[in-house]
Amino acid sequence: NNRPYAFLSRKLRKKFLPPRTPQEQIFCKQVLTLAARSEKTTRPCFSSFLDERQQQLARAQLAANNATQHLFFGGFDAAERKVLCVYLDEPPELWEWPFYVVRLRWKTGGATLTHRDYLGALMGLGIERRCLGDLLLCEDGAYLFVVSTQAQTVCDELLSVGRVSVTATLCSELPSEHELPQPEQKTINVASLRVDAVLAAVLHTSRSDAAALVSSGKVMVSHLEVGNPSFLMEEGDSLTVRGVGKFRLQQIGGESKKGRLFLSLLQY
């Protein structure tokens, strides 16, 4: 039932799903508690890192309750995981956000390390996922965005990722956009915007194999599990395949003479 969210535009309301689980309901209450705390103290209040689904829920809750002003920031413009800030008067300055950037560097043999390897090592230290923002791989390691209370723990205790020795140091300031690794841009053409058609094109597999992958529950669009291969994607949607990677549908272009659509995607 989307009636409580009638303030959303028709397009967003069609894509928006209200809280579906007890955990999501609890999260929505926590968002409103955060807003109430900001109003009471008249100071900016911050959440931990939120994924795209949580950001969507938070926006809806704050708008539906005419809560204080708010914004999301994850350290750089294209960040996926972001911290929510609710405030009354002025938004926080960059240095006021409650997270740091940790630079991870491997010594030798780390060229094959993946996101999962790094995250597994961090979880092994007892650090919860909500304390971690984006993890961006680069030629000799990675950039990690981590809440302020856990940043020094990462620097002191993260000595290896798998069997690869690493060093972790705090960055004195947020990296600029040109310092961050850039996603690879891909152009594909598809018969339709169905998720199985897009998935087949980006993974270079058959339509039937892509549909089976969707039906298996391993595919998420904008952090929501999609079990129906006919689900239609839109510009801005992220496409995540467990164990494979993540893509974002950046732009829907024109049509070919045969009626196929040209899509521009970013591969992370």
Side-chain angles (χ1 to χ4, degrees):
N1 181 8
N2 282 340
R3 289 182 62 188
Y5 303 95
F7 61 90
L8 295 171
S9 68
R10 180 176 297 179
K11 178 180 178 181
L12 290 178
R13 193 161 63 247
K14 182 181 69 174
K15 300 285 286 186
F16 177 72
L17 287 177
R20 301 185 302 170
T21 65
Q23 290 78 12
E24 289 189 345
Q25 292 170 357
I26 291 172
F27 169 76
C28 289
K29 292 179 180 178
Q30 291 172 338
V31 169
L32 296 181
T33 299
L34 192 71
R37 187 188 311 152
S38 177
E39 291 179 353
K40 183 177 181 179
T41 63
T42 69
R43 299 175 59 185
C45 290
F46 302 90
S47 71
S48 54
F49 280 102
L50 309 178
D51 62 29
E52 291 178 337
R53 169 61 174 164
Q54 291 171 320
Q55 292 168 43
Q56 183 189 52
L57 288 171
R59 286 190 184 96
Q61 289 297 312
L62 293 170
N65 289 274
N66 296 317
T68 53
Q69 300 181 80
H70 64 279
L71 53 87
F72 296 86
F73 184 55
F76 60 105
D77 290 342
E80 173 188 329
R81 296 178 61 81
K82 298 179 180 179
V83 169
L84 164 66
C85 173
V86 289
Y87 61 96
L88 288 179
D89 300 317
E90 296 293 331
E93 301 291 341
L94 288 179
W95 55 269
E96 294 177 316
W97 286 83
F99 56 80
Y100 290 114
V101 185
V102 174
R103 182 68 162 92
L104 306 174
R105 287 185 173 86
W106 45 262
K107 297 178 181 178
T108 57
T112 60
L113 292 178
T114 65
H115 282 84
R116 180 178 294 183
D117 296 325
Y118 284 104
L119 290 176
L122 291 161
M123 302 298 178
L125 298 180
I127 298 176
E128 298 180 12
R129 189 68 180 98
R130 63 186 181 88
C131 296
L132 304 173
D134 283 16
L135 174 70
L136 305 174
L137 302 184
C138 51
E139 290 184 356
D140 60 347
Y143 287 95
L144 171 67
F145 294 81
V146 56
V147 296
S148 306
T149 55
Q150 296 291 338
Q152 196 59 52
T153 298
V154 173
C155 293
D156 293 340
E157 300 185 18
L158 187 64
L159 305 178
S160 63
V161 176
R163 296 183 179 181
V164 178
S165 297
V166 299
T167 59
T169 55
L170 285 178
C171 295
S172 58
E173 58 185 17
L174 295 177
S176 61
E177 291 289 334
H178 75 273
E179 294 178 286
L180 297 173
Q182 300 301 313
E184 179 184 352
Q185 189 149 11
K186 303 170 72 76
T187 300
I188 59 174
N189 65 84
V190 295
S192 76
L193 291 172
R194 285 174 48 126
V195 65
D196 58 344
V198 177
L199 188 59
V202 297
L203 297 184
H204 304 289
T205 189
S206 68
R207 185 81 169 263
S208 59
D209 285 347
L213 198 59
V214 174
S215 299
S216 71
K218 294 182 179 180
V219 177
M220 293 185 291
V221 175
S222 297
H223 281 273
L224 285 176
E225 184 178 303
V226 177
N228 186 352
S230 65
F231 181 89
L232 296 179
M233 297 190 64
E234 296 183 0
E235 281 188 3
D237 281 346
S238 63
L239 176 64
T240 305
V241 187
R242 292 192 185 98
V244 177
K246 178 186 173 182
F247 309 83
R248 184 176 297 278
L249 177 51
Q250 188 179 33
Q251 185 177 25
I252 301 173
E255 293 186 11
S256 69
K257 293 181 179 179
K258 296 184 178 181
R260 295 178 66 86
L261 297 170
F262 290 101
L263 307 182
S264 175
L265 297 100
L266 297 177
Q267 179 176 356
Y268 296 86

